[in-house]
Amino acid sequence: MNARADFPLIAASKGVYLDNAATAQKPRCVIEAESRYYETLNANVHRGVHSLSRLATEAQEAARRTVAQFLHAPSEQEIIFTSGCTEGINLIAQSLTHSGLVRAGEEILVSTDSHHSNIVPWQMLCERTGARLRPIPLREDLSFDTEAYLSMLSEHTRLVAVPATSNALGLHLPVREIISAAKQAGALTLVDAAQSIAHEQPDVRALGCDFLAFSGHKIYAPTGTGILWGRAELLEQLPPWKGGGEMISEVTFARTTYNHLPFKYEAGTPNIAGNIVLAEALRYVQSLGLPAIAAHEAALTHRLYDGLAAIPGIRILGGRENRGALISINVPGVHHYDLGTLLDQMGIAVRTGHHCCQPLMQHLGITGTTRYSLALYNTEDDIDRALTATTQALHMLR
Ligand code: PMP
């Protein structure tokens, strides 16, 4: 796969960009679609009788259909435009808080390697409802502990929320197994697809989950875009979180009735340009094919893993297999910040720190890691340069 030329920033850069888990670079078609929207289509949606407003509305609703197809969602009414994965998870947590469906003493289970976005919203829900947040342990090899999880499930479990792929470790979680066991226990399920969306074909029907959230910017779309998918009957049942324009059917000073799906959850003027451009990014990814992207990235990830494993003193977090396009390392005696800074001076962009996974870092007894994360435009040369630079930087630091 050679897609570097599609990405102006990558094509112009002499450096190596390996911080794709934080945000991915944008292809030219996405950048151009954003300008095209403002040059030819800009108008507020849904409220206008004039032609431009109708065209903008049609373009946004066509984008919703593209997202529904991408996720294999049964209906586009189940596609809620959000500002990102964080907002999607908060939407469900807040709606559940106000739904009366979560009662004191009930439990919310999250994996230990969850991002703060899949911890804090549930803690907030627990504070208000008296429910209890319980972390699902990891095994010694840092994989998801399925046996421990199964033993935690009970009639008290209200919701299970896990990432499909951990953003700090890069390991996949057995989401299908997790979801089917949760369903048998009568619990709701939410999949945080932030790190899987750009690498693995999503299929909400096959997954069988109740909710799935992701951010556009990790799949080559602009920041400030995202999707929450939810099962229609649940979205119908839950109360809206934000109030304002567009989410209403009728407002009087006495009371308000709410709009039908998906608009009930989309208060205020949406990120119209962003939503339309998100669909462009999904089309771009589909034109290359997610299986081809995944195969390309898996080969590079293995090359990186084997190269890092051969450098003395490096501890790679988690095993070689069952992993996404991401590797985190810890080097005892070397601060991740120093390593990241030196790598940057050598032209290699990686991320260092806790990766918004402080509870995981506490579990590991470390303050942070150095994380290399890949995208479809990375090459063998990128990996080899990152490995050479890492060897040199560690030589200087030790
Ligand atoms: N979950 C995971 C697993 C993530 O990696 C991220 C982003 N790092 C998020 C949630 C939150 O995404 P955003 O900040 O785009 O809302």
Side-chain angles (χ1 to χ4, degrees):
M1 174 164 304
N2 191 356
R4 292 179 79 78
D6 294 345
F7 292 79
L9 191 148
I10 293 290
S13 165
K14 292 195 173 60
V16 175
Y17 187 74
L18 291 175
D19 194 19
N20 296 286
T23 200
Q25 301 302 340
K26 316 306 171 202
R28 185 171 286 102
C29 62
V30 161
I31 299 167
E32 287 176 355
E34 175 117 6
S35 323
R36 199 161 56 241
Y37 169 78
Y38 284 114
E39 283 171 13
T40 63
L41 214 56
N42 179 49
N44 209 336
V45 288
H46 295 304
R47 284 179 279 259
V49 289
H50 61 83
S51 312
L52 205 51
S53 174
R54 267 205 311 278
L55 288 173
T57 305
E58 278 163 20
Q60 180 178 268
E61 295 315 308
R64 201 187 300 274
R65 285 194 290 281
T66 302
V67 176
Q69 282 157 12
F70 188 76
L71 294 180
H72 295 181
S75 158
E76 70 224 46
Q77 290 199 321
E78 301 179 328
I79 304 296
I80 317 289
F81 287 122
T82 65
S83 65
C85 187
T86 302
E87 191 182 49
I89 299 174
N90 274 277
L91 189 161
I92 293 304
Q94 290 291 328
S95 295
L96 273 175
T97 301
H98 300 294
S99 69
L101 289 174
V102 182
R103 286 182 289 272
E106 292 190 323
E107 296 175 351
I108 310 288
L109 308 187
V110 298
S111 60
T112 295
D113 53 8
S114 284
H115 188 278
H116 295 165
S117 293
N118 190 43
I119 298 174
V120 185
W122 307 120
Q123 276 174 335
M124 291 162 73
L125 171 145
C126 289
E127 271 168 25
R128 280 164 210 156
T129 58
R132 192 156 76 102
L133 183 70
R134 295 184 67 197
I136 306 159
L138 298 177
R139 298 192 187 106
E140 202 68 356
D141 64 359
L142 304 182
S143 62
F144 182 85
D145 191 337
T146 307
E147 293 70 35
Y149 164 63
L150 295 178
S151 73
M152 290 169 77
L153 286 171
S154 74
E155 73 275 18
H156 304 297
T157 315
R158 199 72 200 93
L159 180 130
V160 178
V162 292
T165 306
S166 148
N167 70 300
L169 301 172
L171 300 177
H172 295 311
L173 281 79
V175 260
R176 284 193 193 205
E177 227 178 313
I178 293 172
I179 293 162
S180 98
K183 272 167 88 169
Q184 277 175 34
L188 296 171
T189 51
L190 179 141
V191 175
D192 169 354
Q195 291 301 337
S196 58
I197 195 72
H199 312 283
E200 203 184 319
Q201 180 59 55
D203 187 332
V204 292
R205 273 191 262 210
L207 277 173
C209 55
D210 295 305
F211 307 106
L212 179 142
F214 71 90
S215 295
H217 68 97
K218 299 198 201 260
I219 184 162
Y220 313 106
T223 49
T225 63
I227 296 296
L228 171 75
W229 169 83
R231 273 202 299 121
E233 60 264 42
L234 283 165
L235 293 177
E236 301 276 12
Q237 196 186 346
L238 291 176
W241 166 35
K242 289 182 181 172
E246 198 54 45
M247 53 76 74
I248 57 96
S249 168
E250 195 185 355
V251 180
T252 67
F253 279 116
R255 71 186 285 268
T256 292
T257 52
Y258 303 128
N259 206 341
H260 57 81
L261 292 178
F263 309 113
K264 171 181 160 186
Y265 291 100
E266 293 182 354
T269 299
N271 181 359
I272 306 162
N275 296 341
I276 292 170
V277 177
L278 170 59
E280 185 69 34
L282 298 185
R283 275 193 293 276
Y284 173 76
V285 165
Q286 280 174 319
S287 74
L288 298 178
L290 269 168
I293 293 171
H296 170 74
E297 292 172 342
L300 294 183
T301 306
H302 281 145
R303 190 181 184 92
L304 178 60
Y305 192 99
D306 295 340
L308 289 170
I311 302 174
I314 287 185
R315 177 186 173 210
I316 303 179
L317 301 178
R320 184 176 188 270
E321 305 310 324
N322 196 31
R323 104 174 8 259
L326 186 164
I327 299 176
S328 250
I329 64 165
N330 178 248
V331 189
V334 172
H335 199 280
H336 45 84
Y337 180 82
D338 295 334
L339 177 56
T341 306
L342 270 186
L343 286 176
D344 179 54
Q345 285 167 13
M346 297 175 188
I348 315 292
V350 295
R351 185 145 297 245
T352 64
H354 54 65
H355 315 296
C356 294
C357 290
Q358 285 182 350
L360 173 66
M361 297 301 138
Q362 288 149 18
H363 169 77
L364 297 170
I366 57 179
T367 56
T369 77
T370 303
R371 183 182 77 178
Y372 307 72
S373 57
L374 283 62
L376 61 87
Y377 39 68
N378 286 120
T379 60
E380 286 187 355
D381 184 53
D382 287 349
I383 301 303
D384 295 345
R385 285 174 64 192
L387 287 168
T388 305
T390 304
T391 307
Q392 283 171 0
L394 289 179
H395 192 66
M396 290 160 78
L397 288 167
R398 284 195 293 213

